[in-house]
Amino acid sequence: MMWIIVIALLLIGIALLIAELIFIPGTTVVGLLGLIFSIVGVVISYQHFGSTVGFYVLMVTIASLVVAVFYSFRTGAWTRFSLKSSIDSRVNEGIMSTVHIGDEGVTLSTLRPMGKAQFHDKTFEVKTSGNYINQGEKVKIVQIESHQITVETIN
């Protein structure tokens, strides 16, 4: 019965350590839990089966972790979970030459207080000064500052 507990603790610990390395790097909580489970499994094996068996369990655990991590990276088993595309565009890039204060356009989405609006047949990310503006409303540009366009409704 004690072997089942030790093996379960070690398998859970190794699985959590691999999850920390591959799926959710940087969180450290999952990695710490994996480390704790693994250490508890090794300590129980030392206490119940003696130092010789405990040492072998420790070595097998370390070797298993190294092999599992190496094999998972080597075979590319985790590539389907990785991000393959990157965003290389900027919000409202080059807007100073396209739009100017006072230009009029129409909202393409509800501005709460941010959303999209169209000026001169181009779509821009815009914001209001705090008011909500419904989709399809006519707006004009009141401020352009550091790639941010501030709009207000046309009355």
Side-chain angles (χ1 to χ4, degrees), residues 13-40:
I14 290 172
L16 289 174
L17 286 169
I18 290 173
E20 168 71 28
L21 290 172
I22 296 171
F23 295 121
I24 42 178
T27 60
T28 64
V29 173
V30 176
L32 284 175
L33 283 174
L35 189 62
I36 290 169
F37 275 96
S38 298
I39 290 172
V40 168

Side-chain angles (χ1 to χ4, degrees), residues 34-96:
L35 189 62
I36 290 169
F37 275 96
S38 298
I39 290 172
V40 168
V42 170
V43 167
I44 289 174
S45 69
Y46 268 103
Q47 289 175 343
H48 288 298
F49 304 113
S51 62
T52 304
V53 173
F55 177 75
Y56 288 130
V57 169
L58 176 63
M59 290 299 117
V60 168
T61 302
I62 292 171
S64 298
L65 181 61
V66 168
V67 168
V69 170
F70 178 76
Y71 182 73
S72 64
F73 280 121
R74 179 87 169 146
T75 61
W78 309 110
T79 56
R80 65 183 171 137
F81 298 108
S82 65
L83 179 64
K84 293 175 181 62
S85 62
S86 63
I87 299 172
D88 54 359
S89 63
R90 305 276 189 261
V91 173
N92 297 335
E93 192 171 74
I95 62 170
M96 299 305 276

